[in-house]
Amino acid sequence: MKQAQVALARLEDDSEDAIRASVRRALDHIGGITSYVAAGHKVLLKPNQTLFMPERSGSTTSPRLIRVLVQLCREAGAKEVWVAEAAGHAQKSRNIMESTGMVKGAREAGARLIFLDEIAEDIDDFGEDAGDLRYMPAPEIMRRADVIIDVPKAKTHFMDPISGACKNWVGVIPMSYRLALQRKVDPYYRATALFLRQYRPHLTIFDGGHAGEGQGPGSNEAFWWGWTLASSDPCAADVTVCRLFGLDPAKCRMVREAAQLGVGIFDPDRIQLLGATFETAFRQAKPADPSVDRYPVRVIVGQNGASMEGTLGHWKTIADGWLDTNVWKLFTIKGKPTFLFGDAEDPDFEKHLEEGPYVVLDDAALDKYKYHPEVTFVPGSPVPQSYIQNEMVEGMGFGGIYQFGLSIEKMIEKWKGKRQSTD
């Protein structure tokens, strides 16, 4: 039976020299960079830059790792090296990558920045077996790359146990189309798997220096793991990281669906670990809590318009961040807020209105709630994170204070990113 190889190399510290040495050792176990990149190749690197958190937060890919990979690709004879990414919902990739230090790091290494939310898209044929998803929009740059290298962050997530190589390909799907897929849930996973098959990464390099545990994708708690992981199989790489974090890879739907389409190996027994023993690299990571009852507010969830892949999950990413920064203390000043998602019923609606601000989210909500004059209704299906954030905060009456605080937080994180990029 076909097997996959996953290489591990110890990372002594987070200096660029240590990163370079670790990447070289990992790649040596699977043939070296020249087994993937040759003279004249156009190489596309896809990091994780979903939000404005720096690498040491355990949330985004290290600019220094990208610098090292650009240099290695150049040494192998690459004609061009592109660093391509699209940030999370309603975020400007250019701004996010500037904040994290990725723009500076990539340019210093001689790479070209490709902001996927600013470039041309085309309709691609994903094959007859894709069914209704056969023709989907895709960034045209993907098909022009001779070599694609997936560079995810090793971190946990509240949907799948980890956000790794396969989840990183969500950023390749154009945002407006991605939102439409998330509305239907199942096609969201199927489409991501199809994108992985269509633009299968030739190589995956995990950033496992400052890894992230807990409430990913944006509120991870950073910890020093100190490993670089390399593989030609993105599915096997994800399964391995999941197991090394003490989490159950069987719950990784994004990876499982990609493996079913032939992208890679999902069975741990068919994955060979090279360079280090499992026990040496094992580190039990704190899993993310997928529940919505961890906040000092009332959350009511319906059957429709309230999927974790859509509106509810987008809200939860914000809500987790508010726990980290104690913002919930501000939003409970006027009483206990209620957040109703989708077509849920609230038998104590009038009582809850009296107790504090009432926010209804998603077009699937019942008319009696979303058109009530005392309710803040946030439309859309699903509702993107940025729209949720701004509309519900304004509706609760905290807009001016919140925007000022958010701008300060972004300035701090941008400063951290710039500082890291010069360390």
Side-chain angles (χ1 to χ4, degrees), residues 389-423:
Q389 192 167 215
N390 288 285
E391 293 301 305
M392 71 181 181
V393 170
E394 288 288 341
M396 289 189 292
F398 297 102
I401 299 173
Y402 180 74
Q403 288 302 326
F404 176 74
L406 185 63
S407 65
I408 295 298
E409 182 186 3
K410 287 184 176 181
M411 286 176 60
I412 292 172
E413 295 301 338
K414 182 175 181 179
W415 175 79
K416 289 180 180 177
K418 286 184 174 180
R419 182 179 178 183
Q420 289 179 5
S421 69
T422 60
D423 286 352

Side-chain angles (χ1 to χ4, degrees), residues 128-376:
E128 291 184 8
D129 64 339
D132 293 342
L133 299 175
R134 178 169 181 175
Y135 300 102
M136 293 189 285
E140 57 82 29
I141 193 97
M142 299 300 294
R143 70 180 66 171
R144 292 199 280 121
D146 299 304
V147 179
I148 299 175
I149 302 179
D150 192 351
V151 197
K153 188 72 163 182
K155 64 178 183 177
T156 53
H157 196 287
F158 64 71
M159 286 170 51
D160 279 4
I162 67 163
S163 175
C166 293
K167 188 74 166 61
N168 200 28
W169 245 231
V170 171
V172 178
I173 305 174
M175 179 58 70
S176 59
Y177 188 63
R178 190 191 317 173
L179 288 169
L181 293 168
Q182 288 173 332
R183 181 188 309 131
K184 303 170 186 177
V185 181
D186 289 345
Y188 168 61
Y189 291 97
R190 174 75 172 173
T192 304
L194 287 165
F195 266 77
L196 277 160
R197 184 179 70 176
Q198 190 85 337
Y199 311 112
R200 187 185 187 281
H202 300 81
L203 180 62
T204 293
I205 306 285
F206 256 97
D207 175 6
H210 293 279
E213 62 184 351
Q215 294 306 111
S219 296
N220 296 99
E221 301 169 33
F223 68 93
W224 177 252
W225 188 33
W227 290 93
T228 299
L229 184 147
S231 180
S232 61
D233 184 328
C235 296
D238 277 355
V239 169
T240 301
V241 170
C242 199
R243 294 181 64 235
L244 288 170
F245 279 6
L247 305 174
D248 184 2
K251 296 179 180 179
C252 290
R253 181 176 178 181
M254 199 73 76
V255 186
R256 183 175 66 249
E257 297 219 8
Q260 288 171 352
L261 287 180
V263 173
I265 302 298
F266 190 66
D267 181 359
D269 292 335
R270 295 166 57 195
I271 300 172
Q272 181 185 13
L273 198 60
L274 306 174
T277 64
F278 182 88
E279 292 73 21
T280 302
F282 179 84
R283 197 277 195 187
Q284 180 63 59
K286 181 193 302 182
D289 181 356
S291 70
V292 294
D293 55 6
R294 58 195 304 267
Y295 317 106
V297 297
R298 182 179 298 106
V299 181
I300 304 173
V301 180
Q303 293 295 314
N304 298 306
S307 70
M308 195 59 75
E309 291 79 6
T311 298
L312 182 60
H314 299 171
W315 178 87
K316 181 173 167 57
T317 299
I318 299 166
D320 286 335
W322 286 352
L323 276 182
D324 292 343
T325 53
N326 292 319
V327 174
W328 280 119
K329 289 183 179 180
L330 171 65
F331 295 148
T332 54
I333 289 175
K334 297 182 179 181
K336 184 174 184 177
T338 298
F339 296 87
L340 184 146
F341 293 87
D343 63 351
E345 287 276 6
D346 182 1
D348 297 315
F349 177 64
E350 297 296 335
K351 175 186 175 184
H352 294 158
L353 270 179
E354 295 176 359
E355 292 180 357
Y358 203 109
V359 181
V360 175
L361 302 102
D362 203 280
D363 292 341
L366 303 178
D367 287 355
K368 63 181 178 180
Y369 300 129
K370 65 184 180 183
Y371 297 132
H372 192 283
E374 297 179 52
V375 158
T376 295

